[in-house]
Amino acid sequence: MKKDKVLIITQPLRVNYGGILQAYALQKVVAELGFEVWTDNTFYLKPLSLKHRVKDFLARLLYGCFLNRENYKPLIKKRPKRKDYEKVAKNILPFISQNIKTIDFFESRVFPKASNIEKFDIFISGSDQVWRRKYGVVTRYFFDFLRNTNKKRFSYSASFGTDNLNEYSQKEKRECKELIKSFSSISVREDSAIEIILKEFEQRAVLTLDPTFLLSKEDYLSLINNSYSKADNTLTENLFVYILDESKEKEELKEVLSRRLALKTLDIMPKKDWKTLTSKEIDENAVFPSVEEWLKGLVNAKFVLTDSFHAVVFSIIFNKPFLCIGNKERGLTRFTSLLTLFDLDSRLIYNKKDLTGILLHNIYRIDYEKINIRKEELKQKSLDYLNKNLSL
């Protein structure tokens, strides 16, 4: 019997461990449900227009220079080159090529060729922040390229990243509202997204887990064991630190926590930010560790400190005590929705002042027995959603 072919469109697979692993997990689960599945990994979208470059410059002038926000520096944003990306991602690219079936579906076009569309029977949008306007051409993730086709399409744990559509223009809101009518079903990752879709698009959505939760702890351990010998897999009991947006305040928080817990810090991120460097300046200090090394750092950690959504997810999967630093720039609602789901709200902090005596006293105390039961219940509901919508 011929298997239906599925295409997943998600944020491009770059040097974001969570983004890569959610793509890996969703593809693996869909394949295990009996489908042939690929994930789009188009490299770059169209170059920025003059209008967008001017808007970006003005935003950086206001927020970077006058309001001193680190995410809006430098004043002129460097446009990464493919050869530079391949240098810094040299440890990550093997994982993608070996574990995720990818296709350059768009081939640097705004809309893919009709022949590429015809290769697939089912299209899935998700997971991660595919509906975050600031991260790309958002209508693509509402399947604007499937207009006037009867191709099956739905979302799985799609995320807006924020609790509103302020980043969308009125035209984009209208267009996405029309496009989403063609979805056979809508699932989102945050509870706030259910309200957005009902209010802005007049459609109903259901809550499903991030795809990384659909695999077991053992699935991820096998990835590590395939890359390291047992001798390499010794426990190190570090404070595992994964910070996406560095700041002086977060550095102070890291130092205070390391001292209070008497733990050696393992900071997984490169020492240099490759996006601020010229091609000649990129060296080993700008190269990212492998996906397996990132996972291994989490598995071996005694405690985790992070401002990353997916590092929180994997802390839960591996049953690790953790603290999550609120990351407003990348979307705070993602964290609050996830933590509330597992009754872990107290694990969200914003600065070192939040390290109160009560929190420090209970810092290792998380009821993972209760959380694991809840996780398995939600996992089954999420798998049922996927299975049902793939088989319709």
Side-chain angles (χ1 to χ4, degrees), residues 221 224 228 232-240 266 293-304 318 320:
L221 291 177
I224 301 170
Y228 296 96
D232 293 326
N233 251 347
T234 53
L235 290 173
T236 50
E237 294 203 333
N238 289 311
L239 168 63
F240 180 84
L266 173 62
E293 190 172 343
W294 186 81
L295 284 170
K296 183 183 176 186
L298 276 160
V299 169
N300 289 346
K302 187 169 184 182
F303 198 91
V304 177
F318 295 137
K320 296 292 176 178

Side-chain angles (χ1 to χ4, degrees), residues 246-310:
E246 293 282 357
S247 69
K248 182 181 178 182
E249 201 162 49
K250 290 177 184 178
E251 184 64 29
E252 290 175 351
L253 178 55
K254 178 174 67 175
E255 290 173 3
V256 169
L257 194 60
S258 174
R259 190 167 62 250
R260 293 285 182 89
L261 299 181
L263 291 175
K264 181 181 177 183
T265 298
L266 173 62
D267 197 330
I268 200 74
M269 290 293 273
K271 294 176 182 176
K272 295 181 181 177
D273 181 0
W274 72 285
K275 291 182 180 178
T276 65
L277 305 174
T278 65
S279 297
K280 289 183 179 179
E281 290 172 331
I282 292 175
D283 58 19
E284 287 301 312
N285 289 315
V287 175
F288 286 76
S290 68
V291 173
E292 295 88 346
E293 190 172 343
W294 186 81
L295 284 170
K296 183 183 176 186
L298 276 160
V299 169
N300 289 346
K302 187 169 184 182
F303 198 91
V304 177
L305 177 67
T306 187
D307 64 354
S308 154
F309 172 85
H310 278 105

Side-chain angles (χ1 to χ4, degrees), residues 44-303:
Y44 283 127
L45 305 180
K46 288 174 63 179
L48 288 178
S49 65
L50 177 61
K51 176 183 173 182
H52 281 97
R53 289 200 297 269
V54 170
K55 284 177 70 176
D56 184 68
F57 174 81
L58 293 175
R60 287 172 177 277
L61 184 65
L62 173 62
Y63 293 108
C65 293
F66 296 115
L67 298 180
N68 201 33
R69 291 192 191 174
E70 292 297 325
N71 278 2
Y72 288 89
K73 298 177 181 180
L75 188 58
I76 306 294
K77 185 178 181 181
K78 180 177 177 284
R79 295 283 284 168
K81 299 175 183 176
R82 183 163 191 154
K83 66 176 183 178
D84 293 345
Y85 159 71
E86 289 173 349
K87 276 186 193 176
V88 300
K90 66 179 183 179
N91 297 324
I92 290 175
L93 290 172
F95 179 90
I96 296 173
S97 63
Q98 292 165 21
N99 296 287
I100 306 174
K101 282 172 64 177
T102 62
I103 180 175
D104 185 351
F105 180 70
F106 291 93
E107 297 179 350
S108 300
R109 300 164 179 257
V110 176
F111 295 102
K113 296 178 192 173
S115 58
N116 279 359
I117 294 174
E118 284 308 308
K119 290 176 184 175
F120 299 97
D121 304 294
I122 304 170
F123 293 79
I124 303 175
S125 178
S127 174
D128 224 347
Q129 297 185 68
V130 288
W131 292 343
R132 184 76 187 267
R133 173 60 186 86
K134 69 183 286 187
Y135 290 163
V137 182
V138 73
T139 49
R140 170 171 292 184
Y141 300 98
F142 284 89
F143 303 119
D144 57 358
F145 56 90
L146 292 181
R147 280 193 186 99
N148 304 317
T149 74
N150 60 359
K151 294 287 185 180
K152 185 192 294 187
R153 69 208 79 164
F154 65 91
S155 67
Y156 180 78
S157 286
S159 172
F160 291 103
T162 64
D163 57 6
N164 57 60
L165 293 189
N166 292 346
E167 293 175 357
Y168 284 54
S169 67
Q170 289 303 315
K171 180 183 176 183
E172 286 165 340
K173 285 184 187 179
R174 288 193 299 270
E175 190 171 359
C176 293
K177 180 178 179 178
E178 192 61 32
L179 289 168
I180 206 170
K181 290 177 182 177
S182 298
F183 283 42
S184 61
S185 190
I186 306 163
S187 103
V188 292
R189 200 176 62 184
E190 288 88 41
D191 47 14
S192 60
I194 295 175
E195 297 174 25
I196 291 173
I197 288 170
L198 186 60
K199 178 185 174 183
E200 300 283 357
F201 301 150
E202 298 176 0
Q203 299 292 321
R204 295 195 177 276
V206 297
L207 188 73
T208 49
L209 288 178
D210 186 89
T212 48
F213 279 120
L214 303 184
L215 299 183
S216 68
K217 173 183 176 180
E218 287 67 33
D219 288 318
Y220 297 112
L221 291 177
S222 68
L223 291 174
I224 301 170
N225 292 335
N226 289 340
S227 296
Y228 296 96
S229 69
K230 289 184 178 179
D232 293 326
N233 251 347
T234 53
L235 290 173
T236 50
E237 294 203 333
N238 289 311
L239 168 63
F240 180 84
V241 177
Y242 183 53
I243 302 296
L244 296 173
D245 299 314
E246 293 282 357
S247 69
K248 182 181 178 182
E249 201 162 49
K250 290 177 184 178
E251 184 64 29
E252 290 175 351
L253 178 55
K254 178 174 67 175
E255 290 173 3
V256 169
L257 194 60
S258 174
R259 190 167 62 250
R260 293 285 182 89
L261 299 181
L263 291 175
K264 181 181 177 183
T265 298
L266 173 62
D267 197 330
I268 200 74
M269 290 293 273
K271 294 176 182 176
K272 295 181 181 177
D273 181 0
W274 72 285
K275 291 182 180 178
T276 65
L277 305 174
T278 65
S279 297
K280 289 183 179 179
E281 290 172 331
I282 292 175
D283 58 19
E284 287 301 312
N285 289 315
V287 175
F288 286 76
S290 68
V291 173
E292 295 88 346
E293 190 172 343
W294 186 81
L295 284 170
K296 183 183 176 186
L298 276 160
V299 169
N300 289 346
K302 187 169 184 182
F303 198 91

Side-chain angles (χ1 to χ4, degrees), residues 22-37:
Q22 65 83 22
Y24 163 74
L26 185 55
Q27 186 177 106
K28 182 177 172 63
V29 169
V30 172
E32 288 174 349
L33 290 173
F35 298 84
E36 289 189 51
V37 54

